[in-house]
Amino acid sequence: MSVQVENLEKNMAKLTIEVPAEELEKAIQSAYMKQKGKISLPGFRKGKVPRHMIEKMYGVEIFFEDAANDLISREYPSAAEESGLDIVSRPTVDVTQIEKGKPFIFTAEVAVRPEVTLGKYKGVQVTKVDTSVSEEEVEAEINRERESNARTITVEGRPVADGDTAVIDYEGFVNGEAFEGGKGENHSLVIGSHSFIDNFEEQLIGKNAGEELEVHVTFPEEYHAPELAGKPAVFQVKINEIKCKELPLLDDEFAQDVSEFDTLSEYRDSVKAKMQERKENSAKREKEEEAIEKIIDKSKMDIPDAMVETQTAGMLNDFAGRMAQQGLSLEQYMQFTGMTMEKLQEQMKEDALKRIRTGLVLEQIAKEEDIQVSDEEIEAEVVKMAEMYGMNADDLKNRMGDEDKESIKKDLAVQKAVELIMENVKEKAKPKSKKEKEDDTEEEE
């Protein structure tokens, strides 16, 4: 095999790969051996037809496609390595010569990792993020926990109020005619959830259990059933029961039920500490993203389309895998959401481009700063990964090839590059809003 490299525009390259004629002959013979059991000709038993007879009957090209696919899949990886290029895309392959007795020649167009000219990456200015936790935020978090631990009780002696659950029978009519899907019995409707159309829920407020009433609504113009879209409707409704949530008392017993703490005071302190940690982690991510975006904006790189397409395809495969874990195929997801493959790819393309730029910039910083990753650091990362997967660290390490270890090494170098950036950032206060300025003025007065 021989490889010729031609550099193209915008970080693309073309590999011309020539495979000796004898290798082509072997691939054709292999294709014949795989297919002969499916081929029959008059005068021959199935699977016993000589190759030259098949080629005479169907043409010498009959085995070319399988032979070419075999050679390309076998020879391209070696050719890519021999080229010495840093290839960052799938190849676009074209067969330029396939004839018996002659070398097999094909080309592969690939994207090559672009060079990056970095902008300023030390002393980047980022917005200071407030990570303080107010008492109001703590109370709101505790109340959410109370809501999730509330029990539902039947209401007696008062009418429906906002936030209640009304258990209702209903039947809807348009122009005096009942319509499909407009009837239900003992349906639990949370008032204020806006799960029913128009102002249906509001018309139940103030009504009592056992009461019957008419509810007048209008279907939205964009309603999913065209025969109902934009039309007024009347629902005959009977309120069977009214229910509401009863929140647990905010005391030591509540703290013991929802946490490992004995007192409400300890529980409250724990909630505040966890909220503080979440805010600090969120602020850290925000500042990292802002710093990296600013470095990218000041850096120069010419990213080939094929590189973006390859990244997008990988993200699409990952997304399909996550959908499969939830029991959905990609086709079902698109049916349910009204999404098309073109729209999905277009949405992912922007994120793919951002990921590529981020990766290229951080890898270049690691290179220019000569960031090193030790074997001990790789070992520690493998141990962390093993714990995450619930595996033995030695077993995981034995399963890893050189490429896996190199990938871990690159990821750790990138993490160090981010740390270097953040050690050198300069924080600036977030500009005050008009209202904040007015509040400051009032305080001064």
Side-chain angles (χ1 to χ4, degrees):
M1 179 194 70
S2 65
V3 184
Q4 292 181 347
V5 178
E6 178 187 355
N7 292 318
L8 306 176
E9 294 182 346
K10 201 177 179 181
N11 292 305
M12 295 294 291
K14 180 193 281 188
L15 309 183
T16 300
I17 301 145
E18 184 174 315
V19 182
E22 53 267 29
E23 292 299 320
L24 173 59
E25 172 57 30
K26 288 179 185 177
I28 292 173
Q29 179 64 16
S30 176
Y32 158 70
M33 295 299 290
K34 289 177 183 175
Q35 294 187 41
K36 69 176 184 176
K38 305 173 188 175
I39 300 172
S40 59
L41 285 178
F44 296 93
R45 283 183 297 152
K46 192 172 185 179
K48 298 296 183 179
V49 185
R51 179 178 143 191
H52 72 273
M53 293 296 296
I54 297 171
E55 291 175 334
K56 185 176 180 180
M57 175 66 69
Y58 296 107
V60 293
E61 303 87 2
I62 184 170
F63 300 117
F64 280 4
E65 184 177 350
D66 284 353
N69 289 338
D70 178 41
L71 286 172
I72 291 166
S73 63
R74 184 151 40 93
E75 301 294 339
Y76 170 74
S78 300
E81 186 175 351
E82 187 177 320
S83 72
L85 298 174
D86 191 352
I87 296 171
V88 290
S89 75
R90 296 173 179 173
T92 300
V93 175
D94 184 34
V95 175
T96 58
Q97 178 173 288
I98 181 166
E99 294 181 43
K100 290 179 76 171
K102 293 184 179 181
F104 172 64
I105 302 174
F106 68 98
T107 61
E109 283 198 19
V110 293
V112 180
R113 182 175 296 276
E115 290 186 4
V116 179
T117 304
L118 289 172
K120 176 184 176 182
Y121 60 87
K122 287 184 179 177
V124 178
Q125 202 169 56
V126 296
T127 307
K128 189 173 184 178
V129 181
D130 182 12
T131 59
S132 61
V133 178
S134 67
E135 291 305 314
E136 290 79 8
E137 289 173 311
V138 175
E139 290 305 315
E141 183 73 12
I142 291 174
N143 282 329
R144 278 191 285 273
E145 188 65 35
R146 289 178 73 199
E147 286 279 350
S148 67
N149 284 273
R151 66 190 185 102
T152 302
I153 60 171
T154 299
V155 173
E156 294 180 358
R158 72 163 174 82
V160 176
D162 192 21
D164 286 345
T165 296
V167 182
I168 62 173
D169 297 338
Y170 64 89
E171 185 171 15
F173 301 85
V174 171
N175 295 326
E177 297 288 332
F179 56 87
E180 187 177 352
K183 187 175 182 178
E185 293 182 353
N186 288 321
H187 178 83
S188 293
L189 177 62
V190 178
I191 308 302
S193 65
H194 304 293
S195 53
F196 271 32
I197 60 167
D198 201 12
N199 59 347
F200 187 106
E201 295 162 25
E202 288 87 335
Q203 294 178 59
L204 303 188
I205 293 175
K207 308 300 181 183
N208 293 289
E211 195 168 341
E212 297 183 8
L213 67 150
E214 285 188 351
V215 172
H216 295 261
V217 296
T218 301
F219 284 97
E221 293 291 343
E222 65 280 5
Y223 196 64
H224 64 84
E227 67 276 11
L228 300 177
K231 292 183 179 179
V234 177
F235 282 83
Q236 300 292 340
V237 179
K238 180 184 177 184
I239 300 174
N240 297 324
E241 194 177 6
I242 305 169
K243 296 182 177 182
C244 72
K245 284 183 177 180
E246 184 178 67
L247 298 178
L249 291 174
L250 197 55
D251 55 16
D252 290 346
E253 187 176 341
F254 168 73
Q256 293 162 15
D257 287 341
V258 300
S259 74
E260 69 273 28
F261 299 102
D262 293 326
T263 68
L264 181 61
S265 176
E266 290 174 314
Y267 170 62
R268 195 186 301 275
D269 290 343
S270 168
V271 169
K272 186 171 185 177
K274 287 177 181 176
M275 293 182 73
Q276 183 79 51
E277 184 180 3
R278 285 201 301 269
K279 276 198 171 187
E280 287 171 357
N281 289 336
S282 176
K284 182 173 180 282
R285 288 192 299 272
E286 282 181 39
K287 288 187 284 188
E288 284 178 359
E289 287 178 8
E290 184 182 354
I292 292 168
E293 281 177 14
K294 287 184 174 179
I295 297 167
I296 290 171
D297 287 342
K298 299 295 183 183
S299 300
K300 294 178 182 177
M301 62 199 99
D302 193 6
I303 298 172
D305 293 338
M307 188 178 185
V308 179
E309 289 165 7
T310 299
Q311 178 73 36
T312 304
M315 290 168 59
L316 190 60
N317 286 337
D318 290 344
F319 180 74
R322 291 196 299 273
M323 288 297 101
Q325 289 176 352
Q326 297 174 33
L328 278 179
S329 68
L330 204 54
E331 291 73 20
Q332 288 171 323
Y333 168 80
M334 289 189 285
Q335 285 175 0
F336 294 152
T337 60
M339 183 71 70
T340 64
M341 183 60 78
E342 290 74 21
K343 284 182 182 177
L344 192 58
Q345 287 175 325
E346 195 59 36
Q347 283 183 1
M348 290 185 173
K349 191 174 180 180
E350 187 176 341
D351 191 28
L353 185 58
K354 183 178 179 180
R355 289 191 191 185
I356 290 168
R357 286 175 172 158
T358 299
L360 288 173
V361 160
L362 293 176
E363 286 168 18
Q364 187 64 27
I365 291 172
K367 182 179 178 182
E368 294 197 8
E369 290 290 328
D370 193 25
I371 292 174
Q372 300 296 319
V373 177
S374 67
D375 291 340
E376 290 75 19
E377 288 171 315
I378 295 173
E379 185 88 16
E381 187 65 18
V382 172
V383 170
K384 282 169 58 179
M385 291 171 65
E387 290 174 355
M388 186 172 64
Y389 297 139
M391 292 178 63
N392 178 277
D394 289 334
D395 290 343
L396 180 59
K397 189 165 57 176
N398 291 334
R399 291 186 186 186
M400 286 182 169
D402 291 339
E403 285 186 12
D404 297 319
K405 292 174 183 175
E406 191 60 34
S407 177
I408 292 173
K409 186 175 183 179
K410 184 185 290 185
D411 289 344
L412 291 174
V414 162
Q415 289 175 26
K416 288 188 175 187
V418 174
E419 290 167 6
L420 182 144
I421 292 167
M422 299 313 294
E423 285 168 4
N424 291 278
V425 295
K426 296 177 180 177
E427 288 189 318
K428 63 174 181 178
K430 184 179 179 181
K432 289 186 177 181
S433 66
K434 184 178 179 182
K435 185 178 184 308
E436 286 172 330
K437 289 178 180 177
E438 289 172 353
D439 291 344
D440 287 347
T441 303
E442 288 174 8
E443 286 178 13
E444 287 171 5
E445 292 174 353

